[in-house]
């Protein structure tokens, strides 16, 4: 199927030479007619208005294709080609869109068919005499004729880089003529979709953008194994429920050892299939999280491996792939006795994402693989990331076990995010050819479409690679920068390439933006500023290009605000941090005025896609800390030093040897910053693949507290510590901050140290931190300066001297 993107996007088959075989528009005048089947001519208006359909009649899709063709030829040339039915053949040149009575001589070349495995999608574009055929498989969920039209319009120079009018580029041409055209295309991945939170009124724009870029926006292309869908089955007969750890019935988890549970699930699925012969796939999954069947017979089947994203030594975090997948496979085999070929699926998610050992799976089983724990920045073949390498190993093995594996990737770029730019074009260009080679059948990804974060070009490339994993990435990106930025293309490309190089080259791993302050270096920001300044100068006379450069300027200033906000936190300037959050929100408002696909004005709404620890939440947090340290609700007594003495404690010796004692000799300990994770500073903190040290680590501080603070209630505070902490002051044990997941923010330590702290003297504060036993968490210890503050609620408030 490959011919390279140069042929796809920049094909010279469309020319304006006088010897052209067919002329569609001549000097602004229409010279051709668009022909569709009669039912398509009378099909409903735009099918993307209002609610997005899960599937459309073929006539509606053909009608949408014909309207797109008509509209964009008019935008290009000013000529409006008429659309007529196939009841009679118009005189002169015709464009046949979709199957009709007039396409019958060529119907054998148009892709067709619809099977449960969904491998029949495709389209053709054929010039035959004075007629041009643009048609494809429009059965069921397929959009072949729309793809054929989109491909043809791209050959005329039309591009859809972003959803909506702002994101399209349409060249001007008075004459449109064709010399030679004969192509047939089919996708590398049958499933090509993503979804995510967005304002409802934007859904129609994204739907049309996806189709034009050869994605398939149907949600249930294969039935989604929705979380908790098992509950509906078990509600029919709760006796087949599994057990919770306390022995009580679990309404979401079947008894994975009971053949009766297999029969229950298989029987209910067969009932569905008898009632609806068009149903070709059925899937189910237990509750979100890490569910497990604690029935004793099932526990005996468990192999005792920890889940990759879990914590070693916790039975509740064990992998249950073997018992769960065996159950799903048994259900599938039972169903296939009556309904061979129907696909039965579940999700390889959470404690079921590890490929099972010792199983041979039914060939018509399918798995939706989802690894929420994994590093989001690096490709599967990147030796710097053990996390993505591990994920690649898992995907390959799943694809060996099962012929129908697709990915439910988390394309938030950062699950916890401040919306700073994280372009991943290089990652996409490396990953999708690998996934094609391994036999993965596609994607139904979850993520926000916030292009200030992902970048316009990388998101466009991602969509196009889903159709053709072997396209020439350089040609596509050359074309993007030339058309999107015009005269400013060189510095604009340098801007995004520098960001790409920083992201691809970093040894930081994770899926939360807590790692990004160490990726965006001062040198990088200086170079980005120079790139944007040059781009503005070059784009000054080009209105469209200037708008795109203005967006990059706002993205850069938003990034600067993020880094200034972080630095303000590090020095205890919480009011300043809140001010920088306002700066970021102002830039978002500016970007939203250009296109809401860049971002919404803030991230407080669920539709923004920033569902956790967004800038609005951070602003409120910093305002609270400012109030507690600036005299309103309390006073800042002192910031602890930015550096501390540090030592890893793999044998847990420190608490027995009393490393917390004031006179303990820490002269040979390392000195590290508390404003960066320990593993990027300390000797042995991680290996070359980024695999971190796990276990106990110690920090020791020497802190002077002014004598006049005596008599006040004094609190030791840290904005974030990962993942668990114990504190001693002057050798006296103070308290314990319990385990919290490393990605959580704020991840505070807030302990009363009044009884042990000695104002007027130098104090020794020792903190034992345990990073947990989950390597994927990438726990980093302290991420910010510690401080001591005096809340006003204390008793005996003295006057300052």
């Amino acid at each position: 199927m490959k011919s390279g993107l140069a042929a796809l996007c920049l094909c010279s088959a469309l020319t304006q030479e006088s010897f052209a075989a067919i002329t569609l528009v001549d000097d602004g005048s229409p010279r051709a007619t668009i022909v569709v089947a009669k039912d398509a001519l009378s099909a409903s208006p735009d099918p993307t208005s209002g609610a997005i359909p899960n599937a459309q009649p073929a006539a509606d899709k053909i009608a949408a294709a014909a309207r797109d063709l008509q509209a964009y030829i008019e935008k290009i040339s000013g000529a409006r080609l008429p659309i007529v039915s196939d009841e009679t053949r118009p005189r002169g040149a015709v464009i046949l869109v979709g199957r009709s009575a007039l396409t019958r001589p060529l119907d054998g070349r148009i892709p067709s068919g619809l099977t449960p495995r969904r491998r029949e999608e495709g389209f053709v574009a054929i010039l035959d005499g004075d007629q041009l055929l643009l048609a494809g498989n429009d059965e069921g969920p397929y959009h072949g004729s729309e793809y054929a039209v989109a491909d043809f319009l791209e050959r005329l120079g039309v591009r859809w880089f972003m959803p909506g009018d702002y994101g399209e580029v349409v060249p001007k041409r008075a004459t449109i003529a064709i010399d030679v055209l004969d192509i047939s295309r089919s996708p590398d991945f049958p499933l090509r979709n993503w979804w995510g939170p967005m304002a409802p009124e934007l859904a129609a724009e994204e739907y049309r953008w996806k189709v034009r870029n050869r994605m398939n926006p149907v949600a249930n292309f294969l039935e989604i194994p929705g979380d908790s869908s098992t509950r509906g089955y078990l509600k029919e007969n709760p006796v087949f429920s599994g057990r919770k750890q306390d022995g009580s019935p679990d309404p979401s988890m079947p008894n994975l050892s009971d053949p009766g549970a297999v029969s229950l699930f298989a029987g209910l699925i067969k009932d569905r299939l008898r009632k609806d012969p068009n149903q070709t796939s059925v899937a189910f999954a237990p509750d979100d999280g890490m569910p497990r069947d604690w029935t004793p017979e099932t526990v005996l089947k468990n192999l005792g491996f920890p889940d990759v994203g879990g914590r070693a030594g916790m039975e509740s975090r064990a992998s249950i792939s073997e018992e769960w997948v065996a159950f799903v496979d048994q259900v599938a085999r039972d169903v296939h006795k009556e309904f061979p070929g129907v696909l039965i699926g579940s999700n390889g998610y959470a404690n079921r994402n590890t490929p099972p050992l010792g199983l041979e799976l039914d060939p018509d089983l399918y798995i939706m693989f989802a690894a929420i724990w994994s590093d989001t920045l690096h490709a599967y073949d990147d030796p710097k990331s053990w996390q993505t390498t591990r994920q690649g190993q898992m995907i390959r093995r799943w694809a060996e076990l099962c012929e129908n594996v697709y990915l439910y990737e988390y394309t938030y770029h950062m699950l916890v995010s401040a919306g700073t730019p994280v372009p991943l074009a290089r990652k996409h260009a490396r990953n999708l050819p690998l996934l094609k080679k391994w036999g993965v059948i596609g994607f139904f990804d979850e993520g926000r479409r916030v292009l200030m974060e992902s970048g316009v070009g990388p998101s466009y490339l991602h969509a196009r690679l889903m159709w053709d994993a072997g396209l020439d990435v350089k040609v596509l990106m050359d074309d993007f920068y030339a058309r999107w930025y015009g005269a400013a293309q060189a510095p604009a490309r340098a801007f995004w390439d520098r960001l790409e190089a920083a992201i691809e080259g970093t040894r930081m791993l994770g899926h939360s933006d807590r790692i990004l302050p160490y990726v965006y270096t001062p040198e990088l920001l200086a170079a980005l500023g120079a790139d944007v300044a040059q781009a503005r100068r070059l784009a000054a006379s080009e209105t469209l290009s200037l708008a795109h450069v203005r967006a990059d300027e706002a993205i850069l200033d938003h990034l600067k605000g993020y880094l200034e906000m972080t630095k303000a936190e590090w020095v205890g300037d919480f009011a300043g941090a809140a001010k920088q959050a306002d700066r970021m929100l102002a830039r978002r408002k500016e970007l939203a005025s250009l296109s809401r696909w860049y971002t919404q004005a803030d991230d407080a709404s669920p539709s923004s896609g920033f569902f956790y620890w967004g800038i609005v939440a951070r602003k409120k947090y910093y305002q609270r800390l400012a109030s507690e340290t600036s005299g309103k609700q309390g006073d800042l007594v002192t910031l602890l030093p930015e550096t501390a003495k540090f030592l890893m404690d793999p044998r847990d010796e420190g608490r027995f040897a009393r490393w917390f004692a004031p006179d303990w000799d820490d002269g040979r300990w390392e000195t590290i910053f508390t404003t960066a994770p320990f593993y990027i500073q300390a000797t042995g903190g991680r290996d070359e693949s980024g695999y971190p040290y796990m276990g106990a680590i110690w920090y020791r501080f020497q802190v002077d507290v002014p004598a006049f603070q005596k008599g006040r209630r004094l609190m030791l505070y840290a904005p974030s510590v990962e993942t668990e902490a114990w504190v001693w002051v002057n050798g006296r044990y103070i308290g314990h901050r319990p385990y919290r997941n490393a990605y959580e923010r704020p991840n505070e330590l807030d302990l009363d140290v009044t009884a042990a702290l000695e104002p007027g003297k130098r104090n020794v504060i020792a903190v034992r931190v345990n990073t947990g036993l989950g390597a994927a968490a990438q726990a980093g210890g302290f991420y910010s300066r510690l401080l001591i503050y005096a809340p006003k609620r204390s008793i005996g408030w003295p006057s300052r001297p």
Side-chain angles (χ1 to χ4, degrees):
M1 89 171 248
K2 306 291 188 300
S3 59
L5 197 75
L8 179 66
C9 290
L10 305 174
C11 179
S12 62
L14 298 177
T15 70
Q16 298 182 47
E17 300 292 340
S18 59
F19 56 80
I22 182 173
T23 299
L24 308 182
V25 178
D26 184 15
D27 197 22
S29 298
R31 291 291 183 265
T33 303
I34 301 170
V35 180
V36 297
K38 182 179 179 181
D39 60 347
L41 188 66
S42 59
S44 60
D46 187 356
T48 65
S49 60
I52 300 304
N54 190 48
Q56 300 166 246
D60 287 0
K61 290 180 279 190
I62 292 169
R67 284 195 294 272
D68 248 15
L69 181 63
Q70 181 188 58
Y72 281 94
I73 284 182
E74 185 173 12
K75 288 182 180 183
I76 293 168
S77 66
R80 186 172 182 83
L81 305 186
I83 302 175
V84 303
S85 80
D86 60 349
E87 293 174 289
T88 59
R89 190 193 190 285
R91 296 179 61 185
V94 296
I95 308 174
L96 307 176
V97 176
R99 287 179 183 269
S100 70
L102 301 185
T103 69
R104 286 171 188 160
L106 294 171
D107 277 357
R109 295 193 57 186
I110 302 173
S112 63
L114 180 63
T115 63
R117 290 194 171 211
R118 303 292 193 255
R119 305 294 203 271
E120 306 82 20
E121 196 168 22
F123 68 87
V124 296
I126 302 169
L127 179 61
D128 183 19
D130 63 352
Q131 63 183 19
L132 171 64
L133 173 65
L134 302 175
N137 192 344
D138 297 309
E139 297 183 47
Y142 300 148
H143 292 263
S145 294
E146 290 170 279
Y147 300 154
V149 166
D151 179 271
F152 177 74
L153 291 171
E154 282 188 342
R155 292 167 185 274
L156 299 180
V158 179
R159 299 291 184 271
W160 299 279
F161 293 131
M162 290 171 63
D165 293 342
Y166 176 88
E168 69 180 31
V169 175
V170 181
K172 300 300 180 183
R173 178 184 300 179
T175 297
I176 302 174
I178 310 169
D179 182 15
V180 176
L181 186 60
D182 190 333
I183 63 167
S184 176
R185 298 286 184 265
S186 60
D188 278 348
F189 300 100
L191 280 73
R192 306 176 308 284
N193 199 7
W194 58 50
W195 74 279
M198 69 176 66
E201 62 272 19
L202 298 181
E205 286 185 353
E206 187 189 50
Y207 182 93
R208 183 54 53 208
W209 180 87
K210 286 178 177 178
V211 170
R212 289 166 176 162
N213 283 294
R214 264 72 94 212
M215 295 179 70
N216 191 308
V218 175
N220 274 322
F221 197 87
L222 295 176
E223 184 170 88
I224 299 168
D227 291 335
S228 304
S229 50
T230 49
R231 288 176 176 264
Y233 292 81
L234 294 170
K235 187 177 180 180
E236 296 293 321
N237 199 335
V239 71
F240 294 114
S241 296
R243 297 290 154 181
K244 297 180 180 179
Q245 195 166 8
D246 63 6
S248 62
D250 187 337
S252 81
M253 175 61 76
N255 182 333
L256 302 179
S257 301
D258 191 337
V262 173
S263 298
L264 171 67
F265 275 63
L268 292 171
I269 290 171
K270 285 185 277 192
D271 286 344
R272 280 185 64 186
L273 297 174
R274 293 181 192 118
K275 292 173 183 176
D276 183 4
N278 294 319
Q279 183 83 30
T280 59
S281 62
V282 179
F284 54 86
D287 284 357
D288 198 356
M290 292 210 171
R292 182 176 178 183
D293 175 21
W294 291 90
T295 302
E297 293 80 5
T298 304
V299 172
L300 289 174
K301 296 181 178 182
N302 188 269
L303 300 187
F305 291 117
D307 177 69
V308 181
R311 285 185 280 156
M314 292 185 65
E315 287 186 303
S316 61
R317 297 276 177 156
S319 170
I320 66 164
S321 290
E322 283 71 29
E323 56 263 45
W324 174 256
V325 177
F327 176 81
V328 178
D329 183 70
Q330 291 165 24
V331 172
R333 292 178 187 275
D334 191 331
V335 171
H336 291 148
K337 293 174 184 176
E338 183 176 345
F339 295 96
V342 170
L343 295 185
I344 305 298
S346 188
N347 56 10
Y349 168 68
N351 57 358
R352 308 171 302 284
N353 68 164
T354 303
L357 295 174
L359 296 181
E360 292 186 10
L361 303 184
D362 186 295
D364 288 318
L365 191 72
Y366 68 96
I367 294 294
M368 183 181 80
F369 176 83
I372 195 169
W373 50 266
S374 189
D375 169 30
T376 58
L377 298 184
H378 297 90
Y380 298 130
D381 62 350
D382 194 327
K384 295 189 297 299
S385 175
W386 74 270
Q387 292 192 22
T388 52
T389 301
R390 181 70 46 83
Q391 190 174 353
Q393 293 167 335
M394 295 165 71
I395 293 169
R396 278 201 310 276
R397 181 55 186 156
W398 272 115
E400 291 169 356
L401 289 170
C402 180
E403 298 174 17
N404 304 288
V405 173
Y406 71 94
L407 303 190
Y408 188 92
E409 292 193 295
Y410 294 91
T411 54
Y412 289 98
H413 293 68
M414 294 274 103
L415 284 169
V416 181
S417 173
T420 56
V422 185
L424 300 177
R426 298 185 186 193
K427 173 185 169 181
H428 301 322
R430 290 170 69 169
N431 274 356
L432 272 79
L434 287 172
L435 294 170
K436 172 63 178 174
K437 177 181 176 182
W438 296 340
V440 169
I441 66 169
F443 314 89
F444 185 64
D445 296 339
E446 176 188 337
R448 56 182 165 264
R449 295 297 118 190
V450 176
L451 296 180
M452 67 175 290
E453 179 182 32
S454 61
V456 177
S459 295
Y460 169 67
L461 172 66
H462 191 193
R464 302 311 295 266
L465 284 165
M466 288 185 180
W467 177 271
D468 181 0
L471 62 76
D472 188 324
V473 172
K474 182 180 183 303
V475 169
L476 182 137
M477 297 307 287
D478 286 348
D479 179 67
F480 163 73
Y481 283 108
R483 294 178 188 273
W484 192 246
Y485 289 104
Q489 62 181 291
R493 185 170 198 156
F495 175 89
W496 288 101
D497 279 352
R498 288 186 207 280
L499 285 164
E500 284 273 359
I503 296 298
E504 184 182 47
T506 185
R507 292 184 59 216
M508 299 297 295
L509 311 182
H511 60 36
S512 304
D513 78 300
R514 60 199 167 110
I515 69 176
L516 293 181
Y518 318 103
V519 177
Y520 304 123
T521 64
E523 295 78 12
L524 173 64
L525 253 66
L528 295 175
D531 292 335
V532 165
Q534 184 183 4
R536 174 173 270 277
R537 289 192 295 271
L538 294 174
S541 62
E542 298 179 353
T543 303
L544 186 61
S545 299
L546 185 59
H548 301 157
V549 171
R550 280 180 52 211
D552 289 354
E553 287 178 319
I555 289 168
L556 177 59
D557 194 62
H558 182 275
L559 173 58
K560 290 178 178 178
Y562 169 73
L563 293 173
E564 291 299 320
M565 179 180 71
T566 304
K567 292 176 184 176
E569 178 189 312
W570 289 349
V571 298
D573 179 11
F574 302 117
K579 184 177 179 181
Q580 292 300 326
D582 278 331
R583 173 185 179 180
M584 296 171 72
L585 293 171
R587 297 291 79 74
R588 290 187 181 185
K589 185 176 181 180
E590 180 182 344
L591 284 161
S593 71
L594 295 172
S595 170
R596 290 175 67 189
W597 290 103
Y598 279 123
T599 186
Q600 293 193 60
D602 63 50
D603 54 18
S605 166
S607 65
S608 71
F610 297 96
F611 57 88
Y612 178 74
W613 198 228
I615 296 306
V616 172
R618 299 184 202 202
K619 175 185 173 181
K620 292 178 180 178
Y621 168 70
Y622 291 131
Q623 288 174 329
R624 190 200 88 195
L625 290 185
S627 179
E628 291 179 349
T629 57
S630 64
K632 293 180 180 179
Q633 299 297 322
D635 271 339
L636 175 64
V637 173
T638 188
L639 278 172
L640 271 65
E642 186 178 7
T643 60
K645 288 294 186 176
F646 175 87
L647 192 63
M648 291 185 288
D649 188 8
R651 297 183 301 171
D652 197 20
E653 182 182 354
R655 59 194 176 104
F656 300 100
R658 297 178 58 81
W659 291 358
F660 50 80
D663 58 353
W664 181 262
D665 183 4
D666 58 16
R668 295 187 178 181
W669 289 26
E670 293 187 74
T671 300
I672 69 169
F673 290 95
T674 58
T675 50
F678 81 91
Y679 56 75
I680 68 173
Q681 307 177 74
T683 303
R686 61 182 174 181
D687 66 17
E688 289 303 308
S689 71
Y691 200 91
Y693 165 84
M694 291 181 290
I697 56 178
W698 287 77
Y699 296 82
R700 283 173 57 93
F701 304 86
Q702 293 192 10
V703 187
D704 292 321
V705 178
F708 74 86
Q709 300 291 349
K710 191 171 184 178
R712 305 178 76 178
R713 185 182 181 198
L714 302 177
M715 305 292 294
L716 176 68
Y717 182 85
S720 56
V721 58
E722 299 168 352
T723 57
E724 192 171 4
W726 296 259
V727 176
W728 291 260
V729 175
N730 297 323
R732 178 173 176 175
Y733 177 67
I734 296 299
H736 170 223
R737 206 301 303 279
Y739 177 91
R740 294 182 64 180
N741 289 316
Y743 67 85
E744 293 182 38
R745 289 294 184 273
N747 210 332
E748 300 164 293
L749 180 153
D750 195 11
L751 292 174
D752 191 325
V753 294
T754 309
L757 208 61
E758 299 181 24
K761 297 181 179 180
R762 176 155 293 185
N763 297 264
V764 174
I765 296 177
V767 185
R768 177 187 185 271
V769 175
N770 196 298
T771 65
L773 297 178
Q778 207 76 19
F782 287 111
Y783 272 78
S784 195
R785 295 280 287 276
L786 289 76
L787 59 91
I788 295 171
Y789 73 100
K792 279 191 174 179
R793 59 182 180 273
S794 62
I795 299 172
W797 190 274
S799 300
R800 286 181 180 270

